[in-house]
Amino acid sequence: MLEGSWILCAVTRRSGRRQATRIKTHGNALFLIFILGIGGSFQSGYHITGLSSPSPFIQRFINSSWYERYAAPPPGRTVTIIWSLIVSMYAVGGLFGAVSVKCFSGLLGRKKAVICNSIIAIVGAGIMLTSKWAKSYEMIIVARMVTGYSAGLGVSMHLMYLGEISPRKLRGIVTMTSATFGSLGKLLAQFLGLSELLGREELWNIILCFPACLSVVQVMVLPFLPEAPRYLFIEKGEDKACKKALQSLWGQGDYTQEMEEMLAEQAAIELAPPKSPLLLMQDRTVRWQRITMSIIYICNQLSGMSMISTFAFDIFWRAGIPKDQIRYITLGLGVTEIITSISCGLLIEHAGRRPLFWGGYGVMSACWVFVTVMLNLKDCSSWSPYVTAGLIVLFIICFCGGPGGASGTLNSEIFIQSNRVAAFVLVGIQRWSVLAMLGLVFPFLIDALDSYCFVIFACMCMLGCLYMFFFLPETKGKTLLEIADEFKAITVCGKSFLDDSRLETRL
């Protein structure tokens, strides 16, 4: 089915003329990308959104379980606290999963680590499935934590694997599939959440377990697909196995250019051996890379996108939209997200990374300002709730077509092989820590600040816009070593931090 499929590469310059290059793939690349996707970012996207539709049923389950256990209704804000734990434990698990990336990928390699992660996801689904029959909301919390652990490990391994199987000219398109599969996961969760399908009170545990079916598929199929070529060449030193993996993935060829690039990177690594996350934090030569990814992931998490995914029902209900229409609106959000993610994948090698970041953050900030205004006008007119929904759709388009879509690509490009695993650990810790904090705080925040809580999101988006416009270098079409040099050249008030690091080395 995949034989003879065509992948459009980036436009290259030769003798001053722009020529479109195409690579015909007779290998397993597209199939491997699909298998990695259904067990990677797809799972994370599904579980972030999948909790939105059954949220009222789970809260009623908490009430009924408490009453059966103690013969009295739960006191005060107990249900809200337990619900916040269910939401946030997913991110806490993701935090531990992100910390485990270096251990899993180093001991097992990329392929075996991904398979092991899918088994963890299946275990989490089993706990969730039995929680309803056991009448235990504690089991839901445990299941969410196990599932979050799998997601935290899986998202990082997915991006790492994609970055290490893709040739330079296809790197943007291939790594962008991570965002596309994340959007597909959200869309499927919203679709299955319709009352005509699994969005019914008696099936809430089934809808939260569905992704485990795809994890089973990944466990069965992935052993027969190639290991990541960059991992084989740079970390294992197996040049023949690397060439065989490249030919298996992308078709017959000598792949001299790709292997020369890996050789140059390997030489750089010999001068700078692989670092632990702590050593990477202390390394001033990658300071700007660390700052850039930290700002991107903080702004992405505090942009409000994750809160739309998890608390869509509560947000639209507060906006004044009738409850029976909310699930259909959230389904429309999912369709919008997947279409935009695919469009971003087609544009990223033409528009570049930098405009997608600063332009996306700028429009997102404006969207939240107008959402705040519309929420304060919801009692004055019947049309303001639907204007709010339209602004949220525009926000999703800008996020998925900009920072959300390009983040994975940039993360795979700005760190060389010796720093990449440690960088994924640091970024994962930050990402899941912020998500856990939001999961705990947001239910209380929206009660306390009402519509004005979105002003916080607007400010974070504006921060991201300004930083990306003034500091982020373009990475399109460059080797990893060229990108590293671009970051080293960044100056603030005429001062380069690279000079400081050289001075420290001499001392």
Side-chain angles (χ1 to χ4, degrees), residues 80-379:
T80 304
I81 293 171
I82 295 173
W83 172 243
S84 296
L85 283 173
I86 290 173
V87 174
S88 61
M89 282 301 108
Y90 175 78
V92 172
L95 173 62
F96 287 107
V99 173
S100 305
V101 171
K102 186 174 177 64
C103 176
F104 271 80
S105 64
L107 290 177
L108 302 177
R110 310 304 188 239
K111 185 165 68 172
K112 290 180 181 178
V114 171
I115 294 171
C116 182
N117 181 63
S118 289
I119 295 173
I120 295 172
I122 295 168
V123 171
I127 299 172
M128 180 66 75
L129 185 66
T130 55
S131 63
K132 183 179 178 182
W133 301 326
K135 297 181 179 180
S136 170
Y137 51 80
E138 294 91 347
M139 288 180 68
I140 302 177
I141 296 173
V142 172
R144 287 282 292 175
M145 190 167 183
V146 173
T147 303
Y149 182 91
S150 173
L153 178 60
V155 168
S156 296
M157 289 304 309
H158 184 195
L159 273 172
M160 194 183 302
Y161 212 137
L162 289 176
E164 294 181 8
I165 68 170
S166 53
R168 174 159 51 98
K169 294 177 182 178
L170 296 176
R171 193 170 56 218
I173 296 174
V174 171
T175 53
M176 265 297 303
T177 61
S178 173
T180 302
F181 275 101
S183 299
L184 279 171
K186 293 179 182 180
L187 176 62
L188 183 62
Q190 290 155 347
F191 181 71
L192 294 179
L194 296 176
S195 56
E196 293 84 355
L197 296 174
L198 300 181
R200 289 173 284 173
E201 188 157 8
E202 64 272 16
L203 298 175
W204 63 261
N205 59 332
I206 304 296
I207 193 173
L208 294 177
C209 295
F210 182 83
C213 301
L214 300 179
S215 296
V216 172
V217 173
Q218 189 182 65
V219 169
M220 295 173 63
V221 174
L222 194 56
F224 302 99
L225 294 172
E227 179 62 274
R230 296 185 77 87
Y231 168 76
L232 290 172
F233 188 93
I234 296 175
E235 296 192 25
K236 303 294 287 184
E238 300 175 1
D239 53 339
K240 292 182 180 179
C242 171
K243 186 174 182 179
K244 184 178 178 181
L246 284 169
Q247 290 174 336
S248 176
L249 287 169
W250 301 103
Q252 294 300 314
D254 58 6
Y255 297 97
T256 303
Q257 183 179 357
E258 285 77 12
M259 296 189 73
E260 285 178 353
E261 181 185 333
M262 294 181 201
L263 192 62
E265 190 174 341
Q266 188 179 47
I269 290 172
E270 290 175 358
L271 297 175
K275 298 180 179 68
S276 67
L278 183 59
L279 288 176
L280 187 65
M281 289 180 66
Q282 298 171 351
D283 187 353
R284 291 197 174 193
T285 62
V286 292
R287 172 184 287 182
W288 282 109
Q289 288 94 317
R290 293 197 315 268
I291 292 173
T292 297
M293 292 314 303
S294 293
I295 290 177
I296 286 174
Y297 279 97
I298 286 176
C299 290
N300 283 358
Q301 294 300 321
L302 295 181
S303 69
M305 184 64 195
S306 57
M307 294 303 98
I308 291 175
S309 300
T310 305
F311 297 102
F313 188 92
D314 299 298
I315 291 171
F316 286 121
W317 180 70
R318 286 178 177 273
I321 294 174
K323 287 186 178 181
D324 58 342
Q325 298 179 18
I326 290 177
R327 287 190 176 91
Y328 298 98
I329 292 176
T330 56
L331 180 61
L333 297 182
V335 173
T336 301
E337 186 170 341
I338 185 61
I339 292 173
T340 309
S341 294
I342 294 172
S343 301
C344 183
L346 299 175
L347 288 173
I348 191 168
E349 292 296 351
H350 299 282
R353 285 54 158 165
R354 187 170 171 271
L356 296 181
F357 277 104
W358 69 261
Y361 281 132
V363 180
M364 287 156 59
S365 179
C367 286
W368 282 132
V369 171
F370 287 114
V371 164
T372 303
V373 173
M374 287 296 105
L375 287 175
N376 282 284
L377 296 176
K378 68 178 182 180
D379 297 326

